[in-house]
Amino acid sequence: MSTTGANADPLAALGSLPGVADSVESVRKAVDRVYGHRIMRRRSAEITSEAALRGARGSAALSGADWALEEVRRRTDFGGDAEARVMGAALRLSAEAGQLLSIWRQSPLRVLARLHLVAAASKDDEIGRPRQAGEPVDEPLIEVPLPDAEDVSGRLEGLADLIIAGTSAPALVTAAVVHGELLALRPFVSHNGLVARTAERIVLIGSGLDPKAICPPEVGHAELGRASYLAALDGYVSGTPEGMAAWIAHCGRAIELGARESTAVCEALQRGAA
């Protein structure tokens, strides 16, 4: 996404793209429904915990570790094979997201660095900083063209400036742009998809749209499927109004599906308490 031009709030301008207002309204209604569920008044902490687990499972699935939810619950060791390490990284990021909200608006690049450190769980020199020229990127499931390191640096700074300056854009728009930009840039040598989806979640929580973190978009992204996810990302990378609107709508649908998942959890808890 270009962050230059005469418009002082380019994120807000995206809100006027065709269909985006409808997506924003649909997301708001879906989120309001789950927040209005009677079980939320008494057991919101349980819903938040379950949403974090299911969100981590969904994000890991999109990064190649598509495990059943009960397998994620059962396992305690995530240091084995590659899939287990991906799942462990997703779980760590899900736990970390809520701890970084106060830092995000002041220093988003610091938060992104921290997320990469948490995901990689390594002290290697290339961890926790944007990749440098010549460093390979381990992100086999994202196939859009990879920007060079110099372009990454400039676009990351531009994205951070937008977040720090603030925007009147709806939370859905901001979250979708943060998510899409990080996927397009792949600023780190690894774990970019996991970091991008966690950053999306941080925006949704910090914006006040989903303050209790009970509408995990990662669940929806996984449910919509990797092919749909990558096709929508192609639209974002194209930079066309139609492509950007399609990506925002895709992210909106993912949030709605996350809200639906937590509504189902509420219903199950309510039946158990009856």
Side-chain angles (χ1 to χ4, degrees):
M1 176 190 174
S2 173
T3 59
T4 61
N7 193 331
D9 191 352
L11 292 177
L14 294 176
S16 64
L17 291 175
V20 170
D22 290 340
S23 293
V24 169
E25 180 63 19
S26 184
V27 165
R28 169 54 66 188
K29 288 180 178 178
V31 173
D32 285 349
R33 278 194 294 273
V34 66
Y35 271 86
H37 197 285
R38 59 185 296 182
I39 209 75
M40 281 293 295
R41 291 194 295 271
R42 295 180 288 113
R43 304 178 71 173
S44 65
E46 292 175 69
I47 308 302
T48 295
S49 178
E50 186 66 19
L53 182 70
R54 295 181 184 221
R57 193 215 71 81
S59 189
L62 288 168
S63 287
D66 192 0
W67 291 10
L69 185 61
E70 290 312 311
E71 175 68 5
V72 182
R73 290 191 205 281
R74 184 186 68 81
R75 288 283 287 267
T76 57
D77 177 14
F78 296 96
D81 60 23
E83 286 194 9
R85 291 194 296 273
V86 168
M87 185 61 69
L91 289 166
R92 290 192 299 273
L93 286 172
S94 188
E96 186 78 7
Q99 310 302 314
L100 300 171
L101 295 174
S102 62
I103 306 171
W104 175 254
R105 282 293 302 273
Q106 286 73 42
S107 186
L109 296 184
R110 180 180 163 196
V111 169
L112 294 175
R114 173 62 183 169
L115 292 176
H116 189 234
L117 280 167
V118 169
S122 167
K123 295 182 179 179
D124 292 343
D125 289 344
E126 67 270 22
I127 303 303
R129 61 155 173 79
R131 56 186 168 86
Q132 297 175 0
E135 290 182 333
V137 175
D138 180 15
E139 203 72 43
L141 302 179
I142 304 297
E143 299 177 349
V144 296
L146 186 69
D148 62 37
E150 184 177 351
D151 191 23
V152 167
S153 179
R155 285 173 62 175
L156 274 180
E157 289 289 347
L159 181 65
D161 288 345
L162 288 177
I163 294 166
I164 293 168
T167 177
S168 61
L172 166 61
V173 172
T174 305
V177 167
V178 167
H179 184 174
E181 192 72 354
L182 292 174
L183 284 180
L185 294 178
R186 280 145 295 164
F188 304 109
V189 295
S190 64
H191 299 90
N192 290 287
L194 295 174
V195 168
R197 291 184 288 275
T198 305
E200 178 186 41
R201 173 86 81 99
I202 287 173
V203 172
L204 296 173
I205 300 168
S207 69
L209 176 64
D210 183 20
K212 294 184 182 293
I214 60 171
C215 303
E218 307 96 323
V219 167
H221 289 303
E223 184 172 337
L224 290 167
R226 189 180 298 146
S228 178
Y229 186 65
L230 296 178
L233 177 61
D234 283 342
Y236 178 87
V237 172
S238 76
T240 65
E242 297 80 8
M244 296 291 288
W247 171 250
I248 294 168
H250 181 91
C251 291
R253 182 60 180 149
I255 298 168
E256 291 178 52
L257 290 171
R260 186 180 72 178
E261 183 91 350
S262 286
T263 299
V265 172
C266 288
E267 294 292 338
L269 289 173
Q270 184 168 281
R271 288 193 298 273

